[in-house]
Amino acid sequence: MNISGAVRHIKTSAVQITRSPRTANLLRTAKSMAPFAAAAGVSAAAYGNIPEFKSVVDQGREILNNHPRLGEMSSSALFLGLIPDYLAQKYEGTKFNFRRWTGMAALGAINGGIVLRGFYNAVNNAFPGQSLWSVAERVLIDQFIFSPAAILGTFVAANYIEGKNTEQLINNIKTNYHITIGCCWVFWGLMGCPAVNLMPPDLRVVTANVLSVAWMSFMSNLMHKPAGTLTN
């Protein structure tokens, strides 16, 4: 292929990408996050410049620090439920489902603040230390024992949240479960879990929650799709 042909190919590919439904979905999702990004920026500025606002925020932080389980459940509801499902619904472009949104927030609080914390406590006790082998053991337990069971449980819970019947649940699992497991091994096995397990024990749930925004957005989109369809 000569240079002019390569340029035409690049231009054609760029036009196809720009006009694709997936690109439109991503742009709509990014646009929907603009108010939240602006609010976060204003809050950060207010925290540094308005003593009264800083005092209120610090009081809230103190409450969460004194009640770590409440703090982890709150952050999990936000990072595993509210934000990811909001992004997923905006990506899908359908009418906003408030029941699904609040249900995923409750599921996120339970998964992160109770299930995930219990799992981390168990593996930390079973495989203590920060040696390469200890981290590898925790990652292997996470990816090949905990994650398959947790993902299956999340599929079931999401099915219940949307009020789907057992047949729809089974069809969705048959269609999408193996895709989810494969993506989990790539995202968490190669990147997320090593990063989480290298953190101090008290920061592991928070770190996992931050990484989970992208992961749970994907998961939420996949779990709530009609049976027999793949991701957009």
Side-chain angles (χ1 to χ4, degrees):
M1 180 183 294
N2 55 33
I3 295 177
S4 61
V7 170
R8 286 196 301 271
H9 177 73
I10 293 172
K11 287 183 178 179
T12 301
S13 299
V15 170
Q16 291 175 343
I17 293 172
T18 302
R19 294 178 178 177
S20 71
R22 180 173 296 180
T23 300
N25 291 346
L26 290 172
L27 290 174
R28 182 175 59 249
T29 304
K31 182 179 178 180
S32 70
M33 284 301 295
F36 296 95
V42 170
S43 297
Y47 184 82
N49 296 282
I50 303 176
E52 294 81 5
F53 182 79
K54 182 178 184 299
S55 177
V56 172
V57 173
D58 286 344
Q59 290 176 16
R61 292 174 63 188
E62 184 177 356
I63 293 173
L64 294 179
N65 288 334
N66 291 334
H67 301 84
R69 182 57 60 87
L70 175 62
E72 289 183 347
M73 291 187 70
S74 299
S75 64
S76 295
L78 182 66
F79 290 114
L80 300 184
L82 290 175
I83 294 177
D85 191 63
Y86 178 83
L87 292 174
Q89 292 201 46
K90 288 298 181 180
Y91 178 83
E92 293 159 14
T94 55
K95 182 179 179 180
F96 193 80
N97 187 329
F98 187 78
R99 170 182 170 174
R100 165 180 157 181
W101 191 50
T102 55
M104 292 301 291
L107 180 62
I110 294 171
N111 278 344
I114 298 177
V115 177
L116 198 59
R117 169 48 63 200
F119 169 73
Y120 284 146
N121 288 342
V123 295
N124 288 339
N125 291 331
F127 307 102
Q130 290 296 90
S131 67
L132 182 61
W133 178 242
S134 295
V135 171
E137 288 176 319
R138 292 197 293 266
V139 171
L140 289 172
I141 293 294
D142 181 293
Q143 289 300 290
F144 293 100
I145 297 178
F146 176 76
S147 290
I151 289 172
L152 181 60
T154 305
F155 265 89
V156 174
N159 187 82
Y160 174 77
I161 288 170
E162 283 208 286
K164 295 178 180 177
N165 58 41
T166 303
E167 182 180 358
Q168 290 173 309
L169 169 63
I170 294 173
N171 288 337
N172 195 19
I173 290 174
K174 286 181 178 178
T175 302
N176 295 320
Y177 181 74
H178 66 286
I179 299 173
T180 310
I181 291 294
C183 292
C184 177
W185 287 339
V186 172
F187 182 86
W188 287 108
L190 298 180
M191 298 177 293
C193 282
V196 169
N197 281 282
L198 288 171
M199 297 296 291
D202 61 315
L203 295 178
R204 284 176 186 161
V205 168
V206 174
T207 303
N209 284 346
V210 173
L211 292 173
S212 290
V213 171
W215 171 249
M216 287 304 300
S217 296
F218 164 78
M219 278 279 289
S220 187
N221 174 253
L222 200 65
M223 290 183 300
H224 294 285
K225 277 194 164 294
T229 62
L230 300 178
T231 53
N232 289 332

